[in-house]
Amino acid sequence: MIKFTDIKIGDDVTFYALIENMQKRFTPNKSGYYGATLSDGDSSIDARIWDCSLIETKDVTAGNVYRFTAHVNEYAGKAQYVIKNIELVEDGEIDTSKFFKAAPLSKDELNKGIKSYLKKITNPILYKLAVNLIAKVAPEYFEYPAAMSMHHNYFNGLAYHIYSMLELASKFVQTYPGMNSDLLYAGVLLHDIGKTKELTGPKTPLYTEQGNLLGHIVIGLQMLANEAAAQNVENTEEYMALSHLIAAHHGELEYGSPKEPVIMEAFALHFIDLADSKMAPISAEVLKTKKGTSSAPIASLGRKSIYVPNIE
Amino acid sequence: MIKFTDIKIGDDVTFYALIENMQKRFTPNKSGYYGATLSDGDSSIDARIWDCSLIETKDVTAGNVYRFTAHVNEYAGKAQYVIKNIELVEDGEIDTSKFFKAAPLSKDELNKGIKSYLKKITNPILYKLAVNLIAKVAPEYFEYPAAMSMHHNYFNGLAYHIYSMLELASKFVQTYPGMNSDLLYAGVLLHDIGKTKELTGPKTPLYTEQGNLLGHIVIGLQMLANEAAAQNVENTEEYMALSHLIAAHHGELEYGSPKEPVIMEAFALHFIDLADSKMAPISAEVLKTKKGTSSAPIASLGRKSIYVPNIE
Amino acid sequence: MIKFTDIKIGDDVTFYALIENMQKRFTPNKSGYYGATLSDGDSSIDARIWDCSLIETKDVTAGNVYRFTAHVNEYAGKAQYVIKNIELVEDGEIDTSKFFKAAPLSKDELNKGIKSYLKKITNPILYKLAVNLIAKVAPEYFEYPAAMSMHHNYFNGLAYHIYSMLELASKFVQTYPGMNSDLLYAGVLLHDIGKTKELTGPKTPLYTEQGNLLGHIVIGLQMLANEAAAQNVENTEEYMALSHLIAAHHGELEYGSPKEPVIMEAFALHFIDLADSKMAPISAEVLKTKKGTSSAPIASLGRKSIYVPNIE
Amino acid sequence: MIKFTDIKIGDDVTFYALIENMQKRFTPNKSGYYGATLSDGDSSIDARIWDCSLIETKDVTAGNVYRFTAHVNEYAGKAQYVIKNIELVEDGEIDTSKFFKAAPLSKDELNKGIKSYLKKITNPILYKLAVNLIAKVAPEYFEYPAAMSMHHNYFNGLAYHIYSMLELASKFVQTYPGMNSDLLYAGVLLHDIGKTKELTGPKTPLYTEQGNLLGHIVIGLQMLANEAAAQNVENTEEYMALSHLIAAHHGELEYGSPKEPVIMEAFALHFIDLADSKMAPISAEVLKTKKGTSSAPIASLGRKSIYVPNIE
Amino acid sequence: MIKFTDIKIGDDVTFYALIENMQKRFTPNKSGYYGATLSDGDSSIDARIWDCSLIETKDVTAGNVYRFTAHVNEYAGKAQYVIKNIELVEDGEIDTSKFFKAAPLSKDELNKGIKSYLKKITNPILYKLAVNLIAKVAPEYFEYPAAMSMHHNYFNGLAYHIYSMLELASKFVQTYPGMNSDLLYAGVLLHDIGKTKELTGPKTPLYTEQGNLLGHIVIGLQMLANEAAAQNVENTEEYMALSHLIAAHHGELEYGSPKEPVIMEAFALHFIDLADSKMAPISAEVLKTKKGTSSAPIASLGRKSIYVPNIE
Amino acid sequence: MIKFTDIKIGDDVTFYALIENMQKRFTPNKSGYYGATLSDGDSSIDARIWDCSLIETKDVTAGNVYRFTAHVNEYAGKAQYVIKNIELVEDGEIDTSKFFKAAPLSKDELNKGIKSYLKKITNPILYKLAVNLIAKVAPEYFEYPAAMSMHHNYFNGLAYHIYSMLELASKFVQTYPGMNSDLLYAGVLLHDIGKTKELTGPKTPLYTEQGNLLGHIVIGLQMLANEAAAQNVENTEEYMALSHLIAAHHGELEYGSPKEPVIMEAFALHFIDLADSKMAPISAEVLKTKKGTSSAPIASLGRKSIYVPNIE
């Protein structure tokens, strides 16, 4: 499949690309056009679509893959893509999954891994709350990213984040006596459940209005409150403790938790979440970096780069 | 009625007092006793009850008024009250309300004032959410303090805080065009609704376990979530906006709001809450302070004193 | 009158515009030219004046309205205005007030409103300090903005800010017993008096050198010190308290107050100033924003946008 | 002269002491008494004066030296001084200066040293402002401490602080070209002039009400404003720059400067003030500390101790 | 063995106790005595030794166990222990280990566990640096606490801290591809090596002077620098990276790391250290706390208590 | 010699310039080119070298001066230099020192000045540590800048910084009794010794990998540790105190010191370093600025400008 790096100034080309984002703009003389960022799965380009009807008569939207026809001009020393046509991709025409970044594990592997931990929960109240809540938003739970840009910002990212955290959690349970593993696993499984409504979709999402106004901690607490009321367990210690774990998982008020941890399992959840949200993007970047050099800037580290020592 | 300032070392006395707080302690040789702080409505003393059966056989608890018989020893240069007997107060025996600090307005005045604002809400969804939630916890709503120690920490304090805020809110509505008064009034009325479950009672309360783990913002959001589900309005803009007002009313993450204000009415609610939580205790203290002198330290100002200028 | 949105690339046009700011620059081969931002009252454009004599022989300065003749080139896909001629506007030629943003209330309305509060001050020392100081800088007081960019940054903005604050102050006086309304009103009236010397003019001002080095709090305190000395009241409680209100009105050291509030009226002044400095620009922006959408970024909120809920 | 360390429990003694501070208190049975801290110049004790007429009929006040007669009881394992009589000290009876800590240099030495720098100022405006302002408050300027407790908190402390700073300033002038030495010296000489009205006296002072409400930076700016007006130099660059140096000498907003330094001499003044306010109390404490051990806690270092290395 | 809770006021008793800390003090009449805190392994008391020769002629020092003879007075309502005699404990007289808190694992178990990880290091430079440095301070490494009071403040605490961290580290290595396990294990093994010189001993230690002036990060870096020079590896990537791990393990400048992590293994080390330093004391406290109640305050959490939910 | 300000669009020119920095980049069609910033000693321009062999076949590197042949195009209204040829400069062809900023004092003057202070150290341990360490890195010590961009970022900058600090230090020794001048001078001489390995060279340096991972404080401590071991003084008070001065010279943890000052000389070193790092760049900028105007932005002041008062 043709890649952007194969295309030269002056070419007339047809290629497949994902519309990462797109906005209508206006020239000084008030005629409209669309500016878009297109991705071929490896790299991105900016493009202009002067003929708005290409977008507006075909329901072309950001987050999907299309077939483009374009001419490549030179503008200010750089290539400028002028889109001539946009066409829908028919079923089976190409494998569109290659246009989206995804977790190292597949949706099925993550589903199986996460379910194996769910089954370890023997407390019936915690089990039923976790099972039912996940079931209600299963498609989003297993397909959404964990964030727009900071960490696990790719297809399946949320489930991959949760699964890695469950793995660390099992080691914490072994190492620190006194931990209630049911509560910790339920907390890991549900701590980011609100993200299924905070984000608009599994691929290149934005924040929903609900996400902007309430955030995933509050949305998750609301979902749990309604589930607990439906199951008649709103006066149980389990519901109160699980609510605390969700509320406190950012660890400090200034990171958006309305209460700081005061339960052992809430501390464990916070440390595991913190570690995974940093280690996962570092790991991904280190794997792409040559020993003895520095990585690309990493968003979740405030755009710091990581140095990979030249050690066997 | 006899006051502590009337009692001298060496006296045998009978007096009425409120038990502000009380704890069982043990001497080095392991015999138990109770230490208590007693208030006559104006000032407080520390007392020791060596005979635990006085407490334990009569269900004597902190937060209530009793009739005490005591002998006053001198100990380390100060008066020490040794309690000889504690008796329940019969109905009508005395007016116990004088033992509790209370808001400047009575419960009836506050009820009437608050209801007059409730009636101004014309949006049916906001009106029904506010009316029903207040009705469900009406006794607590109109009797609880607004806090243990920081501000409005007295009987009726919560309702008085809300009523003063409604008054300021009406001026904000006049001054700043674009405000939805229904949303602002509903937000003021419900922003602290979680305090009815965060605190243990109307008089000299402690935090409930739920209060410790979740705090009044989360509890209020849970109450609203369940009420909205019961009324089938959980997908309305009104519910989302009202949830945002409750979540954001502390104004900044570091003060415990999981989201900062992004709606005009949420900003107004925050500024009004901030101003009232400081101005009300300042006002109370200034009224007790002579012109040209400084007040007692004020808890909600980090124990700073206020100077009252000697100006007519 | 012709607006920038009516002008197309290729046009030769004559239009009226305000020079918002203007700077002399030099090309690589050292020939000078002027770059300027022009406003038609609704929107702004960038323009280049290659012929410096157009500026330098006619005393053309930023902050005033002129009649321009220009040709509109295309440059890098955008319209570029090349100014051919600049002419002074004769008296009565057009109504230049439309080129400047201004407060929702007129200068006369504000004058009347502010004077009505001034008359409520019965303490003769406070009254005379306020009356005389305002009289000395009356033109600036009733025409200057309250800031360059943060809030009330428009003609009459300072007076509008003060008038709105007086309105809120009257409600605070009603709600919180113990307040000396004379002191609070005098404090509101004079708290920003130093801005009349901190800024260079009523329209599109910069900071004066005095403003850069001292700021409006110190300048205001100096003005008050000299006025108090002239009136022989420099040893009165009124002068000391009023100086404190000016010094402390930013509320915290880190916001530039050399002392934090320790007088009831100083707290009230601070909360009212804080609330108005945020609510006024929010109100202005909300009025321009469609329900169910987010506003433009708001400078005084750190460029956060406000969401306007879609609620009747 | 008898010292507290010479006095034993059970003694009846007569001694001279400074009253460092004193407060009226009340016993539970409402009889008044005075609690006081007395200093013999080397160490301090707490004392109780049960007979209030000893204080009230003789105008006995904190900050002065008296002759005391006392009996020393044992109370809770410690010596308790019960004062029997307090008598005024006649002129020449003893040398009371030994009861007050003072600067290492005498008032005359400091006067001479400071005047020598004053004479170096050749700019007539700066010279006249400095000379006149110092002359107006000369007794306080040469006798007051520089602070209640943080640094230079002793007789002559303010003048000693200023003189040490002038010495450092002369080295800064040599080392950094571009400095206006007149402006820097005038700034050092006047930066703390407001302390002459912020504190109540030369010995064991408290804050004046003016000090509490305005602080020495604002008071100093007011003094300079009135002096500049009296000399008709209020529109000079010298007055503006000197005002900036006073306003900015704490270096950062959060330390109470309403403006941060933006003039070279203001930076120099800030660094010199910062260094001297820490180095002077460290020096005093190091001189009292044995090599290889740690000093007593130092107030101006947040009660940190200094280690004195055992190095020749 | 007799415990403090068995002893009553008025008793003459003989008991074994650890001197936790001890200081010489002086009465007002200048006679010396010793104040000491004694522990029976379960609880602590304060005692006074009026006869200084009991201490000074027998080389009695804090951190050791002695046999005490005492009389118990009542003083201010509490038991006061007056020590009559102190005698050295002969070898085998009692098992003194019960007087010291210790890690849940024994010294041998920890030695074996730690060595098993040391053997996994295959990089010869990292292996030899770790083996030699640990060998040089082996007694301290396996007996010292990890801190005076914050976490793992007991016999073997340092080794227990390191072993728990190695366990978590092995899970991090599995979960995050790209990690160099040799570097991470070497970093865990050596990150606190400086504590062997920062503290004075294995039991109830204080800070050494070196500890006060340099801290364990700098001391550890110095030890590693000298070891690397001795092995001629000071120019290797391994030495540089390992130095970075030690320098950066506190994670942020404000927690005392002179550099923040920029290597994947340094991030992992920091997160593991952070988690273990909090989870270990929480675990210990939770095991002592009844379900449905709150724990004692925990030093490493800023004296916050942990709530243990009443969940099966 | 030809300067950039003499060159016009359209010219074909030959000029000498320093390559300040240079990076290989790629066009959209993947052909490589170099972008570079060139300095003529007074001002800088951006240039493009399309023919990569000009760079790659001649070992052309940033930090050196070359002879360039270029054509100057106009691009987007600005001059664009297209480099046609780059040639090495032969010895003696020109004086390349004019292309590099340097300290106001020459290398010889600084060497002499610094050595004069070194000779004042009479303590033999401190003297030998300082002499030997400086000798080992003498070329770097007397030629390196003190930083990449913040202060003293020019040839000789490090030595000039140290010499100015020694001058201030001598005044601190005079002013504050109790100071050990040997320790303070040794501390000033060695505090930045690690910069000789943190930076890559004397002219337009970058950070070394060691610099990125460890920073100059840690590198300096390692150098001192190895020197002390070589001299067998690693257990002396002198070595411990000097290590403390290096470790603590940034004054606060958050500025990268792993320990804060607890020795008098460490406080002095910190204040002197702080003052010089700000005053030196301010002085340099003030000398270039006209009275009554503001300077260019100053990097070490967070890009604040300095105002130079118009005072004689």
Side-chain angles (χ1 to χ4, degrees), chain A residues 2-4 6-8 10-16 45 67-72 81-85:
Chain A
I2 195 168
K3 294 284 180 179
F4 293 138
D6 305 330
I7 299 173
K8 295 179 191 160
D11 287 357
D12 283 290
V13 286
T14 295
F15 58 87
Y16 293 94
I45 57 149
R67 188 169 66 246
F68 295 83
T69 312
H71 178 75
V72 186
Y81 284 70
V82 179
I83 304 301
K84 301 296 183 193
N85 201 11

Side-chain angles (χ1 to χ4, degrees), chain A residues 21 65 71 133 181 194 208 263 276 293:
Chain A
N21 56 63
V65 175
H71 178 75
L133 266 175
S181 63
T208 60
I263 285 183
D276 191 62
T293 70

Side-chain angles (χ1 to χ4, degrees), chain D residues 5 7-9 76-79 307, chain E residues 27-30 48 75 209 212-213:
Chain D
T5 51
I7 299 173
K8 292 179 193 162
I9 289 171
K78 295 195 298 188
Y307 177 74
Chain E
T27 63
N29 63 350
K30 294 179 121 177
R48 291 190 170 195
Y75 178 71
E209 210 52 76
N212 270 327
L213 264 58

